[in-house]
Amino acid sequence: MIRNPSLKSTPNALFLSSSRDGFISFCFGGYCLSEIADPSMLGYLLVGFIAGPGLFHLIPESPSTDYLGEIGIVFLTFSIGLEFSIGKLKSMRTLLIGLGGMQVVFTILLVMGILILLGTPALWAFSVAVVLVMS
C-alpha cells in the first residue's frame, strides 16, 4: 500500500490520529478501573488528564481536541444524571442540603476573608466570593 507522506501533517490526519489514540487509551483506562470495581468514568477522566495537555501531552491540544473535550463533558454530565434516581435524592435530601449549604457558606467566608486581608472592600469581596461559589 502506498501512503502519502504529507498526509500526517494535515489537520484532519492529526485530528483522526489523536482521536484514535485518545479513544484507545480511554477504553483501556475505563476497562482497568472497572476491573478493580471503580467507576469507569473515573478511568476516562484520569486517562484524559494523563494523556492530554494536563500531564504528558500525548494528545496535542488543538481546537478539534477542545471540541471533543466539550462533547466529553456533555456525555459526562449525561451519564452522571443517569446514575441518580429521584428516590435516592429524596432519601439524601437533608444530607445534601446540609453539606451543600455548609460548603457554600464556608467557601464564601474563606474567599471573603482572604480578599479582605488583601485589602479588598467587604462588598467587593462578598461579590467575588459569591461568583466563585456559584461557578
Side-chain angles (χ1 to χ4, degrees):
M1 181 161 113
I2 299 174
R3 300 184 96 184
N4 185 353
S6 65
L7 183 64
K8 289 194 179 223
S9 63
T10 63
N12 289 337
L14 179 64
F15 173 73
L16 289 176
S17 67
S18 64
S19 298
R20 180 199 63 225
D21 297 343
F23 181 74
I24 291 169
S25 58
F26 294 144
C27 288
F28 178 73
Y31 174 75
C32 287
L33 260 75
S34 67
E35 284 297 310
I36 58 173
D38 279 333
S40 59
M41 191 62 64
L42 180 61
Y44 302 146
L45 291 172
L46 286 174
V47 169
F49 177 73
I50 291 169
L55 199 58
F56 290 126
H57 302 282
L58 300 175
I59 299 172
E61 188 172 0
S62 68
S64 57
T65 53
D66 289 344
Y67 183 69
L68 282 176
E70 290 174 10
I71 292 173
I73 294 297
V74 169
F75 285 134
L76 173 68
T77 55
F78 179 73
S79 65
I80 289 173
L82 289 177
E83 293 288 324
F84 289 107
S85 66
I86 298 297
K88 215 188 243 186
L89 288 175
K90 282 184 180 178
S91 68
M92 296 174 55
R93 177 178 37 220
T94 55
L95 180 67
L96 290 175
I97 291 173
L99 290 178
M102 284 178 21
Q103 178 188 1
V104 167
V105 169
F106 176 74
T107 306
I108 287 174
L109 292 175
L110 178 70
V111 172
M112 273 186 67
I114 292 170
L115 290 175
I116 288 173
L117 286 175
L118 293 174
T120 307
L123 186 58
W124 280 91
F126 177 75
S127 300
V128 169
V130 169
V131 167
L132 287 176
V133 163
M134 296 303 160
S135 66

